[in-house]
Amino acid sequence: MTDFNHIETKYITFDKPLPLESGAVLPEITLAYETYGELNEDKSNAILVFHALTGDAHAAGRHTPEDRKPGWWDPMIGPGKAFDTDKYFVICANTIGGCMGSTGPVSINPKTGKRYGSDFPIVTIGDMVAAQKMLIDHMGIGKLFCVVGGSMGGMMTLQWAKSYPERTGLVIPIATTAHMSAQGIAFDAVGRTAVMSDPNWNNGDYYDGEGPENGLAVARMIAHITYMSKESMRQKFGRRLQNSSSLRYDHENDFRVENYLEYQGGIFVKRFDANSYICVTKALDYFDLAQPSGDLRKELAPTKDSPFLIISISSDWLCPTEMSKEIASALRRTHLYISYAEMDSDYGHDAFLVETDSLTNLIGNFLSMFEKK
Amino acid sequence: MTDFNHIETKYITFDKPLPLESGAVLPEITLAYETYGELNEDKSNAILVFHALTGDAHAAGRHTPEDRKPGWWDPMIGPGKAFDTDKYFVICANTIGGCMGSTGPVSINPKTGKRYGSDFPIVTIGDMVAAQKMLIDHMGIGKLFCVVGGSMGGMMTLQWAKSYPERTGLVIPIATTAHMSAQGIAFDAVGRTAVMSDPNWNNGDYYDGEGPENGLAVARMIAHITYMSKESMRQKFGRRLQNSSSLRYDHENDFRVENYLEYQGGIFVKRFDANSYICVTKALDYFDLAQPSGDLRKELAPTKDSPFLIISISSDWLCPTEMSKEIASALRRTHLYISYAEMDSDYGHDAFLVETDSLTNLIGNFLSMFEKK
């Protein structure tokens, strides 16, 4: 039985090269991952959870009972929860290109003995799921009972289904899209420009000195705005002032929302690597499930035996409901079972991390329909 | 008769001090302004046009026939146009705090003989219209026939009406709000952070060296996204690649939208001053027409004799329609004539600069109703 007060992050290294969509090859890869629950005898109860842009493998529980915070989707994963670990074996791995234990720009390049830095190749969502497939193969799991994730994790969910349809049971993409919008690319591009115009960027080879923290903080601040709805910002901050009872009339922050964003930028640069940020946002921007044919319906046709539950968030303006409807519509003629739900929430894009009660209802019902009795 | 091929920007200096809302005082101010058409004998046909955040006094016509581009609202101002210069005397002045000829951070501080730089006080929308009132007083105009502007110009329009109700005829605020939203403040704050974390910022005293051009470019790129709708970005760029037929898999720009934003950032830093950018965005964020009482209805009650035409843009997500409706609703019980129109356009916030045919219809009808025969 999983002890949720002593969750261990495990690391596995595959010495096999991973060929990437760009044509580059990663000579070896390490994946950081966690598991919750027990894999059953016929290995038919595994659920692979994909994290979002800057997330990690620590999806549920605490490393030690003293941890202040549990994993990022803790209300969703555990005994009796939506992803019920009394029934299911839940896996979450850190994506390659990131910086939370899996191979990425901060890793040592075995060819040079130094950190990859700027030499780390740009990876795609397809490459990310290919890396995780090595883990699933290693575990001897033929077909996943379910793949699920929100935002970039939703892209990985869709990509897994497309890349490995015969290895895929249920598919639950949340708050995501079949292709990054021009506006989404634009926000990512400005974030990257902020990082790369920081004098400490040094073309990505900054590990011997200070990193481009100012630029990365700005990138995070921009992104953070896109994760909240206009309404949630109004409710949370409105025009409330930070410290004083009146306006300051200087260059300092006046409003609470300014301090909040500055704080978010500040904590982010302590936990995330700038090269990884460039890498994962490029992966987002490159994502286009309709390629190579340009026909989303055709590209998704091989997934026809998988039941889909597609969930959008009413106030999400980064991946608005239309984008989920586009996916549902592409499946309509070919697929046996498609369910689509718009979750009513003011939280915006990040609601998939917050509205866990609603998600538990939606996902719990869906899983129970397909559960083996 | 105005020769629209030889429009001259005029400059006027007022030696009189201008006390600011912050308590600071500008010892003298210069305003850059342009006029189109003729002021009639009883000085009753003057229309004051307010420009947006980074705009200038050059609203219509060309300085010389060789100019590639006319003024920023040229389709709206001229003989037979919405603001018909055969009937009206149209005035547009550059705002203080800006950098297009009126007193701002790049101006010489008469007390030190050097550029203000970081010593330039933060000005408010109220201060901006107070400065323009000096020009209107100087021209001997008692009551303006109309005040009009979009975005920040719309804030100035509303502020003029509130500050000088007895000097105000028609009021036309476009694509604006009675108070900056938390999300709007957030975007401005990130832009300012980008400028101020550029090592060339030097606390605003950068005029002897290179300015914080990288930071300012990032600020402009962020802002530019907010001026377009998601749909207009999709139509204009979609996921089209810039140069190559395939993805680059490197740190360079892949998508057209990336190059477009980079280009917008690049041209902006050539024409706009970073200190001014800080100053005018602070003015936006400080704007709250409901203050000091907190009651928008009460604060706008003194404008009750002015007919209002409030125009919002259907795809504007920076100042969405609800914000214009809030203004209309605050006027409902007290005012004799309020007209509200949502202009249907995919262009987003910047539609007030683009959809000049629709604006001409709306504004032309409104002006003709109140025109003296």
Side-chain angles (χ1 to χ4, degrees), chain A residues 34-271:
Chain A
E34 296 187 3
T35 62
Y36 321 95
E38 304 299 327
L39 188 60
N40 62 8
E41 209 155 321
D42 63 354
K43 302 191 173 184
S44 64
N45 71 334
I47 295 178
L48 182 56
V49 172
F50 298 107
H51 66 69
L53 192 67
T54 66
D56 57 31
H58 187 41
R62 287 171 162 80
H63 296 306
T64 72
E66 291 74 36
D67 280 0
R68 232 169 34 88
K69 277 187 173 179
W72 57 269
W73 228 14
D74 187 71
M76 298 296 293
I77 301 165
K81 298 183 180 176
F83 301 105
D84 186 348
T85 51
D86 292 337
K87 297 177 188 166
Y88 300 112
F89 176 63
V90 179
I91 310 156
C92 183
N94 180 223
T95 179
I96 57 165
C99 54
M100 299 299 183
S102 293
T103 299
V106 295
S107 304
I108 302 297
N109 181 349
K111 288 191 179 155
T112 64
K114 292 180 184 168
R115 292 180 193 277
Y116 279 102
S118 61
D119 285 341
F120 195 81
I122 300 292
V123 299
T124 64
I125 300 290
D127 297 329
M128 291 174 176
V129 300
Q132 301 211 11
K133 183 167 167 287
M134 292 168 92
L135 178 64
I136 301 307
D137 288 343
H138 169 82
M139 289 175 167
I141 298 167
K143 186 175 179 174
L144 291 166
F145 177 73
C146 175
V147 285
V148 61
S151 192
M152 186 179 86
M155 293 178 176
M156 293 175 76
T157 300
L158 292 165
Q159 182 67 54
W160 177 283
K162 178 185 166 182
S163 295
Y164 315 112
E166 75 291 351
R167 307 285 294 270
T168 313
L170 312 181
V171 182
I172 312 179
I174 308 171
T176 195
T177 176
H179 43 76
M180 199 64 173
S181 69
Q183 191 191 57
I185 296 171
F187 279 118
D188 286 343
V190 183
R192 287 191 294 266
T193 301
V195 172
M196 297 194 289
S197 61
D198 185 315
N200 291 334
W201 161 245
N202 193 31
N203 277 316
D205 295 316
Y206 50 77
Y207 294 120
D208 294 333
E210 273 182 72
E213 293 199 354
N214 289 335
L216 186 59
V218 167
R220 180 60 169 186
M221 291 166 79
I222 299 167
H224 198 91
I225 302 174
T226 70
Y227 303 153
M228 295 180 76
S229 73
K230 201 175 185 81
E231 175 60 17
S232 66
M233 284 200 142
R234 190 190 69 75
Q235 288 175 15
K236 196 173 170 111
F237 309 108
R239 297 183 48 82
R240 283 186 285 285
L241 300 177
Q242 178 61 24
N243 289 312
S244 48
S245 55
S246 59
L247 297 168
R248 300 179 52 99
Y249 296 103
D250 62 18
H251 288 157
E252 301 299 315
N253 294 342
D254 281 275
F255 297 96
R256 282 199 196 169
V257 65
E258 296 181 272
N259 277 54
Y260 172 80
L261 284 177
E262 196 173 286
Y263 172 78
Q264 293 296 335
I267 54 170
F268 184 68
V269 301
K270 304 231 178 306
R271 75 173 178 87

Side-chain angles (χ1 to χ4, degrees), chain A residues 21-23 118 120-124 127 179-187 189-190 192-194 196-199 201 203-204 214-215 217-219 221-222 225-226 228-230 233-234 237-239 247-255 257-258 261-262 275 278 282 284-288 317-320 322-323, chain B residues 21-23 117-118 120-124 127 179-187 189-190 192-194 196-199 201 203-204 214-215 218-219 221-222 225-226 228-230 233-234 237-239 247-255 257-258 261-262 275 278 282 284-288 317-320 322-323:
Chain A
E21 287 191 44
S22 63
S118 61
F120 195 81
I122 300 292
V123 299
T124 64
D127 297 329
H179 43 76
M180 199 64 173
S181 69
Q183 191 191 57
I185 296 171
F187 279 118
V190 183
R192 287 191 294 266
T193 301
M196 297 194 289
S197 61
D198 185 315
W201 161 245
N203 277 316
N214 289 335
V218 167
M221 291 166 79
I222 299 167
I225 302 174
T226 70
M228 295 180 76
S229 73
K230 201 175 185 81
M233 284 200 142
R234 190 190 69 75
F237 309 108
R239 297 183 48 82
L247 297 168
R248 300 179 52 99
Y249 296 103
D250 62 18
H251 288 157
E252 301 299 315
N253 294 342
D254 281 275
F255 297 96
V257 65
E258 296 181 272
L261 284 177
E262 196 173 286
N275 278 313
I278 304 281
K282 275 275 181 184
L284 285 186
D285 294 354
Y286 281 9
F287 185 64
D288 188 353
W317 58 277
L318 190 61
C319 294
E322 303 89 85
M323 289 179 156
Chain B
E21 287 190 44
S22 63
S118 60
F120 195 81
I122 301 290
V123 299
T124 65
D127 297 331
H179 44 77
M180 199 64 172
S181 69
Q183 190 191 58
I185 295 171
F187 279 118
V190 183
R192 286 191 294 267
T193 301
M196 296 194 291
S197 60
D198 186 315
W201 161 246
N203 278 317
N214 288 335
V218 167
M221 291 167 79
I222 300 166
I225 302 174
T226 69
M228 294 180 76
S229 72
K230 202 174 185 81
M233 284 200 142
R234 191 189 68 76
F237 309 109
R239 296 183 48 81
L247 297 168
R248 300 179 53 99
Y249 296 103
D250 62 16
H251 287 156
E252 302 298 316
N253 294 342
D254 280 276
F255 298 96
V257 66
E258 297 181 270
L261 284 177
E262 194 173 288
N275 278 312
I278 305 282
K282 275 275 182 187
L284 286 186
D285 294 354
Y286 282 7
F287 184 65
D288 188 353
W317 57 278
L318 190 61
C319 294
E322 305 88 85
M323 290 180 155

